[in-house]
Amino acid sequence: MKEKPLITVILPVRNSARTLADCLYSLLNQTYSNLEIIAIDDFSTDNSMSILRSFKKQDTKRLRIYKNVKSYGLAVTLNRLIKKTKGSYIAFMDPSDISKLNRLAKQYRFLLKNPEFIAVGSQCSFINEAGKKIGKSNFPMENSEIYQNPLHGISMQFETVLINKLMLPKDILKFNIGSNPFIYSDIFMKIIPYGKFANLPDSLHYHRSHPSTYISEVRKNILSLIKLLIKGRTLYDYQAPIRTFFSPLIKSA
């Protein structure tokens, strides 16, 4: 039987000792077994690196760990992770989160059956620091709806996404250091011309954040959001009407 393609899960880590073990357990026990997990510790001041080393001893083949010589921030760490990937598919993960054990298998099957799709996310349950469920997502499932406002945490949760790297030009998956707090949304808009996006109806992920966080972040950074829209229209050929792009803010007002 032909082996399934390699999936690379990239994991940026920074002072995540409280939640990191649960996160790694959920990745190493995925039902999709042909995967590699690459973690870079961004110069944590807690024992995150010790936890990574402990898990590395348990799975030397699939877990690769590195440490930055100083704290470079999320965008630089993500770019370093991307450069180290070997898989045909790339999945993203937050060290505070937990993926259900069938997450990658379900997402891979979707992309295999739907070759016009370049990326697939899922619904997620929102949990607090203690792991208690505090809400659930209602992300749009259709590409046309996601395209209208491709914003992290509003139309998709980036940490749930699996991307078919084979459909992308080389080196396009590069995070922009100057696009905070919209570094994930910037990537969405950059790759959206190359294929369709979808969210599965299944809740396959636990994310430690309150659902209202993203709307408040957008409101606090409205000028950065406008810059993102201008950039998307001029550099990435993003063509959605301005009103629909800002519709999450209008609906929540």
Side-chain angles (χ1 to χ4, degrees):
M1 184 182 292
K2 186 178 178 181
E3 189 174 44
K4 291 179 180 178
L6 178 68
I7 292 177
T8 300
V9 183
I10 63 173
L11 179 64
V13 175
R14 170 70 181 171
N15 292 338
S16 308
R18 266 189 89 241
T19 58
L20 185 55
D22 287 341
C23 169
L24 290 168
Y25 180 88
S26 77
L27 294 176
L28 290 169
N29 287 280
Q30 287 289 307
T31 57
Y32 190 100
S33 59
N34 190 24
L35 77 160
E36 63 171 1
I37 300 152
I38 309 175
I40 294 181
D41 180 81
D42 189 30
F43 207 69
S44 293
T45 55
D46 63 7
N47 65 332
S48 293
M49 195 64 196
S50 298
I51 294 170
L52 288 172
R53 291 192 184 105
S54 175
F55 275 83
K56 172 69 175 174
K57 290 178 182 177
Q58 300 172 40
D59 200 322
T60 58
K61 183 180 178 181
R62 296 188 302 162
L63 179 58
R64 294 158 54 195
I65 62 172
Y66 304 90
K67 183 172 183 175
N68 289 338
V69 296
K70 64 178 183 178
S71 180
Y72 290 106
L74 181 60
V76 171
T77 302
L78 284 167
N79 287 334
R80 291 186 167 196
L81 284 162
I82 291 288
K83 287 181 180 179
K84 295 179 182 296
T85 60
K86 297 177 182 177
S88 301
Y89 296 82
I90 299 178
F92 296 82
M93 190 65 175
D94 186 292
S96 298
D97 293 355
I98 301 168
S99 281
K100 289 190 177 179
L101 302 187
N102 61 348
R103 170 199 161 187
L104 296 178
K106 284 196 170 187
Q107 291 180 309
Y108 168 71
R109 283 198 297 269
F110 176 87
L111 292 178
L112 188 65
K113 292 178 181 178
N114 300 276
E116 71 275 21
F117 283 81
I118 193 170
V120 59
S122 77
Q123 305 302 324
C124 63
S125 296
F126 297 100
I127 57 177
N128 61 18
E129 288 300 312
K132 183 180 178 181
K133 186 176 177 179
I134 54 175
K136 60 181 181 179
S137 68
N138 187 29
F139 299 134
M141 291 181 283
E142 300 296 328
N143 176 71
S144 58
E145 293 183 70
I146 297 169
Y147 186 88
Q148 300 302 318
N149 38 57
L151 299 175
H152 168 61
I154 294 174
S155 64
M156 298 184 91
Q157 190 70 40
F158 200 83
E159 295 89 352
T160 72
V161 170
L162 178 66
I163 291 175
N164 184 349
K165 191 174 74 171
L166 299 179
M167 294 177 66
L168 290 173
K170 187 178 179 182
D171 298 328
I172 197 170
L173 281 176
K174 185 173 183 180
F175 291 82
N176 187 343
I177 298 170
S179 60
N180 261 341
F182 298 111
I183 60 170
Y184 292 135
S185 301
D186 181 72
I187 284 288
F188 278 158
M189 296 179 74
K190 187 186 290 189
I191 68 175
I192 215 165
Y194 297 96
K196 293 182 178 181
F197 281 55
N199 283 308
L200 297 180
D202 316 66
S203 181
L204 301 176
H205 197 80
Y206 296 95
H207 183 62
R208 286 184 209 270
S209 180
H210 197 278
S212 64
T213 300
Y214 300 104
I215 291 293
S216 62
E217 278 294 310
V218 168
R219 284 185 175 143
K220 283 191 296 184
N221 297 280
I222 192 69
L223 289 178
S224 296
L225 184 64
I226 293 170
K227 289 179 182 177
L228 174 67
L229 176 59
I230 294 170
K231 182 179 179 181
R233 295 174 80 85
T234 56
L235 297 182
Y236 308 148
D237 195 31
Y238 178 70
Q239 298 297 328
I242 293 175
R243 180 177 176 82
T244 60
F245 185 80
F246 288 96
S247 63
L249 286 178
I250 296 168
K251 290 177 183 177
S252 64

